[in-house]
Amino acid sequence: MYRRFSCLLALLSLTVAGGALAADAKRIAITIDDLPAASATPMAPAEAGRLNQQLLTALQRHGAKAVGFVNEDRLLVPGHVDDGVALLHAWLDAGMELGNHGFGHLGLWKSSREDVEAGVLKGEVLTRWVTSRRSAPLRYYRPPFTQTGKTEAEREAFEAFLAHHGYAVAPMTVDHDDYLFACVYDRLQAPGEAARRQVVTDEYDTHLRTSLQVFETMSQELFGRQIPQVLLIHANRLNAATLDRTLRTLKERGYAFAPLDEVLLDEAYRSPARASGRFGPSWLARWARAKGVKLSVYGQPDPVGQTAQWHAQLCRQ
Ligand SMILES: [Zn+2]
C-alpha cells in the first residue's frame, strides 16, 4: 500500500514537473539583418537569392517565423531590381515578416540623426510597396550597428520619429559575433577550403552555445527568470549553410521559436533601455545599465579558437 502510494506520489510529482517544464519553456525570436545579404567578398544577386531561400527553408523546417530586416540600397542593383522585389516576396510567401534596416546602413554614432532618419524613409520604399500590396505589416526598425543614440535625448527623439512613422525599434538580446565567423567563411570559399570551412562552422556552433549561457545568466540575474530572447544574425553565406544547425542547437537548449511580436509582449521588453552609445550591446545590458543593476557578465565572450586567428589574418586587411 505504502509502495503504491509512493509510486502515485512519484507519478504525480513527475506530471507536475512536466507541466512546469512546458509552462517554463524558453522562447526565442529569430531576426535576420542585412537583407538581401552581407558579404566580405562580391556576391551576385542570384547567389543572394539562393542564400535567402536556404535561410527560409531552414526557418520553415523548424516552424520559426523570423523577421528579415532590409537594406534597400543593397536591393537596388542595376538590372536586378526585380530580383530584389522577388526576394522580398519570397520572405512573405514563406510566412515571415519584413522590417526596415535603413538605406545605406547608417548608424547613430557616425551619422547624424537627420541622416539616419532620412535613411529610414528612403529605405522603406520597395518594402512598403510589397508589404502594403499584401496587407503585411512593416512595423519594426532594426538600427544599424544596433545603435540607438549617442545620448538619452537623441534616443528619445529618434524613437519619437520612428513612432511617428509607424515603427518600433526591434531590440535584440542574443548576438554571437556571427559577422566575424561569416567574414572568415566568406574568404574560405575556394573548393579546397572545405576542411577549414568545417572548422569555422563547428566553432560557430560552439560559440553560440557559450554565448547563450551568458545571455541566460544575464536574464536570470536581471529578471530572476528566463525571459523570451531575441536572436540577431545576418543574411550571409555562413548562416545560409548553418541556420538549420543553429535552430537545432536552440531547440536542444530548450528553446521554442516565437514570433517577434509575441516575444515583445513580455513585460521585460517594457523596461527602460539606456541609449547604446557607440557599441550596441544586448538589450539585457542596456536594461541593466538603466536600472543601475550590476551583472556578473555583460555580453558574449570574445570568440577563441582557429576562426579568431584566421579572422586576424583574412579579415583585417
Ligand atoms: Zn546591419
Side-chain angles (χ1 to χ4, degrees):
M1 180 64 192
Y2 173 75
R3 175 173 289 179
R4 191 183 293 167
F5 181 66
S6 63
C7 280
L8 197 67
L9 262 184
L11 190 69
L12 198 68
S13 60
L14 248 179
T15 312
V16 169
L21 197 67
D24 291 348
K26 292 185 287 187
R27 289 183 295 150
I28 191 162
I30 311 297
T31 63
I32 304 185
D33 284 10
D34 294 1
L35 266 56
S39 175
T41 57
M43 185 188 292
E47 185 182 359
R50 286 196 299 276
L51 181 158
N52 276 266
Q53 273 306 333
Q54 285 176 276
L55 293 172
L56 293 171
T57 300
L59 290 166
Q60 285 184 301
R61 187 178 301 137
H62 291 275
K65 289 191 182 305
V67 183
F69 289 91
V70 183
N71 292 128
E72 289 200 3
D73 53 299
R74 298 177 203 225
L75 285 180
L76 297 176
V77 181
H80 292 279
V81 177
D82 285 355
D83 294 335
V85 172
L87 187 143
L88 300 182
H89 279 294
W91 272 73
L92 298 181
D93 290 343
M96 309 298 156
E97 181 167 344
L98 294 170
N100 186 338
H101 194 36
F103 193 99
H105 207 271
L106 303 178
L108 266 174
W109 183 257
K110 279 190 178 168
S111 302
S112 69
R113 182 162 63 83
E114 290 69 25
D115 286 350
V116 174
E117 289 176 355
V120 173
L121 300 181
K122 195 175 172 187
E124 69 172 10
V125 178
L126 286 174
T127 315
R128 181 76 71 194
W129 182 57
V130 167
T131 53
S132 62
R133 282 171 71 206
R134 300 182 58 160
S135 302
L138 179 57
R139 51 185 166 168
Y140 297 119
Y141 176 76
R142 168 63 55 65
F145 312 105
T146 59
Q147 290 167 348
T148 55
K150 293 178 271 294
T151 61
E152 287 303 304
E154 185 174 57
R155 179 183 63 74
E156 283 171 19
F158 183 58
E159 287 179 358
F161 165 86
L162 289 175
H164 181 71
H165 291 278
Y167 290 107
V169 168
M172 62 84 187
T173 57
V174 177
D175 77 320
H176 60 304
D177 297 309
D178 73 326
Y179 71 92
L180 183 150
F181 289 85
C183 177
V184 178
Y185 192 83
D186 280 343
R187 300 215 181 267
L188 297 176
Q189 286 301 298
E193 293 286 11
R196 288 212 284 177
R197 283 201 302 277
Q198 185 66 48
V199 172
V200 173
T201 56
D202 286 345
E203 290 189 348
Y204 181 51
D205 186 64
T206 303
H207 189 61
L208 170 64
R209 291 165 192 268
T210 316
S211 302
L212 284 168
Q213 183 66 50
V214 169
F215 293 114
E216 288 166 4
T217 301
M218 293 169 77
S219 170
Q220 200 65 39
E221 290 180 2
L222 196 53
F223 294 103
R225 65 189 171 97
Q226 291 304 309
I227 66 158
Q229 305 268 6
V230 179
L231 174 74
L232 162 60
I233 58 173
H234 297 83
N236 54 39
R237 291 186 185 94
L238 173 69
N239 286 319
T242 59
L243 184 56
D244 186 70
R245 182 176 181 180
T246 295
L247 298 178
R248 273 189 281 124
T249 297
L250 290 167
K251 277 184 175 171
E252 258 177 46
R253 289 188 66 91
Y255 283 98
F257 304 117
L260 181 63
D261 60 344
E262 273 184 38
V263 164
L264 298 186
L265 291 176
D266 189 283
E267 64 183 23
Y269 289 87
R270 290 199 287 278
S271 311
R274 187 67 69 79
S276 66
R278 179 175 183 181
F279 302 105
S282 164
W283 257 249
L284 287 159
R286 302 177 197 212
W287 292 327
R289 283 177 194 146
K291 281 184 178 175
V293 172
K294 284 229 181 311
L295 302 178
S296 63
V297 279
Y298 279 93
Q300 74 276 27
D302 287 337
V304 292
Q306 291 190 276
T307 307
Q309 292 170 24
W310 293 337
H311 185 265
Q313 296 162 8
L314 299 172
C315 294
R316 285 190 184 153
Q317 298 124 348

